[in-house]
Amino acid sequence: DGGITQSPKYLFRKEGQNVTLSCEQNLNHDAMYWYRQDPGQGLRLIYYSQIVNDFQKGDIAEGYSVSREKKESFPLTVTSAQKNPTAFYLCASSIYTGELFFGEGSRLTVL
Amino acid sequence: GQQVMQIPQYQHVQEGEDFTTYCNSSTTLSNIQWYKQRPGGHPVFLIQLVKSGEVKKQKRLTFQFGEAKKNSSLHITATQTTDVGTYFCAGRSGNTGKLIFGQGTTLQVKP
């Protein structure tokens, strides 16, 4: 079955540690996205990539980094510079300007 | 910057009552998408509206796109407990092509 796989589903991190969230898709979509979801604030765009080896900052990119070395993969690193990283992280992919297909999300908690 | 405002933030209804959520954009949109997120789940695409004044129906759900392509609504007739969740609109800017999510409306349905 085609879809998007995010891992891990739950992650705990100590302050000062970097963590990497995985996102893999087999839908053959060119565009991939990372969103952050906090209660009552909807979805905020962190980074997006429209093609391999290229990506752009979204609205809240500070403290995050990404790579797009393969079409299928778009990992997100939450660095120690991100001041409030506890959140629900959602990866998505799409045909450009089309509907977004979301993964099941990764819930990060900073201890 | 461009904003998409969604109201109300929360709505509690008795099963069988109708429900409506509204989205308003500060700028003209090229299209608008609607998503549903069940509690603990990830957003799932419902529909995309493209044309000015467009109305689309999916069973008990009616979606409208305003004549000026700046607002949209989702109306659910005779709610059921399966309708529980958060409904998000996402407007694509006519200028930048960027997709902006509203804050979402969380629907609770009392059986």
Side-chain angles (χ1 to χ4, degrees):
Chain A
D1 285 333
I4 298 185
T5 302
Q6 285 187 244
S7 63
K9 195 167 183 178
Y10 299 96
L11 186 60
F12 298 89
R13 186 193 95 173
K14 293 182 181 179
E15 284 193 23
Q17 286 182 335
N18 293 354
V19 293
T20 298
L21 308 180
S22 169
C23 179
E24 303 277 332
Q25 56 102 355
N26 60 5
L27 298 168
N28 200 32
H29 287 165
D30 286 316
M32 295 188 75
Y33 312 81
W34 274 104
Y35 287 91
R36 171 179 170 142
Q37 186 173 32
D38 296 284
Q41 293 198 39
L43 299 168
R44 293 185 290 168
L45 183 63
I46 306 173
Y47 268 98
Y48 65 102
S49 168
Q50 296 177 0
I51 197 167
V52 174
N53 292 322
D54 189 39
F55 49 83
Q56 287 78 40
K57 292 182 179 180
D59 300 314
I60 55 165
E62 186 176 350
Y64 300 99
S65 65
V66 293
S67 63
R68 187 87 187 273
E69 296 176 2
K70 298 186 299 182
K71 187 174 185 177
E72 302 80 18
S73 179
F74 192 41
L76 173 75
T77 297
V78 185
T79 75
S80 56
Q82 169 48 234
K83 297 191 187 314
N84 185 22
T86 294
F88 188 46
Y89 291 89
L90 286 158
C91 179
S93 72
S94 76
I95 300 170
Y96 185 60
T97 74
E99 67 192 80
L100 299 183
F101 290 79
F102 285 90
E104 295 189 347
S106 294
R107 196 169 296 277
L108 172 63
T109 302
V110 173
L111 303 173
Chain B
Q2 181 193 1
Q3 288 188 323
V4 174
M5 305 301 293
Q6 191 174 352
I7 58 169
Q9 189 173 359
Y10 299 99
Q11 185 83 57
H12 295 249
V13 300
Q14 198 72 40
E15 189 172 20
E17 292 182 338
D18 292 356
F19 159 76
T20 305
T21 173
Y22 300 90
C23 265
N24 290 288
S25 170
S26 55
T27 59
T28 302
L29 303 170
S30 59
N31 62 56
I32 193 158
Q33 299 173 357
W34 285 90
Y35 294 82
K36 177 183 178 181
Q37 185 176 22
R38 294 183 186 275
H42 58 279
V44 174
F45 175 79
L46 293 176
I47 207 160
Q48 176 169 285
L49 304 172
V50 178
K51 298 177 184 175
S52 168
E54 189 169 13
V55 178
K56 285 189 176 180
K57 292 191 176 184
Q58 290 179 350
K59 297 183 181 177
R60 296 177 293 104
L61 277 61
T62 302
F63 304 84
Q64 295 189 5
F65 199 11
E67 294 288 342
K69 300 184 77 172
K70 284 187 170 184
N71 57 74
S72 181
S73 65
L74 158 59
H75 179 82
I76 302 178
T77 303
T79 54
Q80 299 175 358
T81 54
T82 53
D83 295 325
V84 164
T86 300
Y87 293 85
F88 291 98
C89 63
R92 191 172 297 281
S93 168
N95 295 329
T96 66
K98 199 173 174 183
L99 192 66
I100 307 293
F101 278 83
Q103 300 93 324
T105 297
T106 298
L107 173 64
Q108 297 278 8
V109 179
K110 300 177 200 174

